[in-house]
Amino acid sequence: MAHPMIAPSILSADFARLADEASAVEGSEWLHVDVMDAHFVPNLTLGLPVVQSLLAATDIPLDCHLMIDDPGRWAPGYAEAGAYNVTIHAEATDDPRAVARDIRAAGAKAGLSVKPGTPIEPYLEILKDFDTLLVMSVEPGFGGQKFIPDVLGKAKAVRRLVDSGELTLVVEIDGGINADTIEAAAEAGVDCFVAGSAVYGADDPAHAVRALREAAAAVSPHLTLAH
Ligand code: DX5
Ligand code: ZN
């Protein structure tokens, strides 16, 4: 039985106090870092220098979600810096496998993300070369959007392949995850839940993380709380 993973997204944190915002969610499995380039998505956030500072400021493994064009050029740098998982978008490159190889060679886990409208079937074969599948449940670019339940079919399809042993992957979901939506995602077979506004918009972010983890474990057929 796997343990539900919660990855608070610092997109909803105070960027002037990132070290404190990371300590506020101590005990989270991953800290989700949204890198946006104002080209692949219509928003601009942060890049490698901020990730390097954050790596020095927290022990939580960093989950870098690169919403950028030309990930082959930039992704290995995040791995070299010490990010635990580096996820690229399937829509941003013609050769996701080559990028995964470079990320792994630079010492990180490699993730593949798909936007809500991108089907998973064309990528099932290459998922063997990845460690994480990040299913977007909102259009990438902004926090605080509404969860799109249609994407859960992709999580279910990949969960089946993981359960049957054909793939070894963390199934992660990102966008609109909160107390109302996490159960449906957990039932669909998600292992790792990104939550931005639901964690950093709460009075007690650490409590919000625990509550989300418990809610996921309570309904999931494949997740349980570690004791
Ligand atoms: C959106 C980002 C998400 C975002 C999620 O493009 O990838 O990680 O922070 O925010 P919430 O949880 O508020 O939808
Ligand atoms: Zn994200």
Side-chain angles (χ1 to χ4, degrees):
M1 282 294 222
H3 174 77
M5 299 168 64
I6 306 294
S9 168
I10 58 158
L11 185 60
S12 295
D14 179 349
F15 277 18
R17 301 173 43 252
L18 284 181
D20 292 342
E21 297 283 61
S23 4
V25 295
E26 205 59 58
S28 299
E29 282 71 20
W30 288 356
L31 190 64
H32 186 83
V33 180
D34 288 306
V35 176
M36 304 188 191
D37 66 352
H39 289 270
F40 181 73
V41 288
N43 194 7
L44 181 67
T45 53
L46 53 86
L48 188 55
V50 175
V51 168
Q52 287 168 326
S53 294
L54 202 48
L55 281 162
T58 183
D59 292 330
I60 308 174
L62 295 195
D63 174 31
C64 292
H65 176 196
L66 305 188
M67 286 160 275
I68 62 172
D69 284 344
D70 200 4
R73 178 171 173 191
W74 304 107
Y78 291 83
E80 278 159 25
Y84 182 79
N85 181 81
V86 179
T87 289
I88 59 158
H89 265 270
E91 305 85 359
T93 171
D94 293 334
D95 196 353
R97 278 181 126 141
V99 188
R101 201 176 320 122
D102 290 348
I103 292 170
R104 283 173 161 182
K109 305 281 186 196
L112 185 72
S113 184
V114 284
K115 298 204 270 185
T118 301
I120 196 66
E121 287 76 16
Y123 299 102
L124 290 177
E125 191 54 39
I126 68 160
L127 283 178
K128 289 190 174 64
D129 296 316
F130 285 86
D131 305 290
T132 308
L133 170 70
L134 178 58
V135 176
M136 288 306 299
S137 41
V138 298
E139 286 302 330
F142 299 93
Q145 303 182 75
K146 196 168 174 291
F147 181 72
I148 302 171
D150 290 356
V151 306
L152 291 179
K154 290 187 266 190
K156 284 181 193 158
V158 172
R159 175 87 253 149
R160 275 195 294 273
L161 295 172
V162 172
D163 286 347
S164 69
E166 285 165 74
L167 289 174
T168 306
L169 271 180
V170 171
V171 182
E172 184 178 14
I173 197 157
D174 182 9
I177 292 294
N178 57 39
D180 297 328
T181 56
I182 195 165
E183 294 188 356
E187 281 166 349
V190 169
D191 302 300
C192 181
F193 307 84
V194 176
S197 45
V199 168
Y200 283 109
D203 291 339
D204 182 347
H207 177 264
V209 168
R210 287 193 297 273
L212 287 169
R213 194 186 289 113
E214 281 162 22
V219 298
S220 169
H222 72 286
L223 297 174
T224 184
L225 287 179
H227 291 290

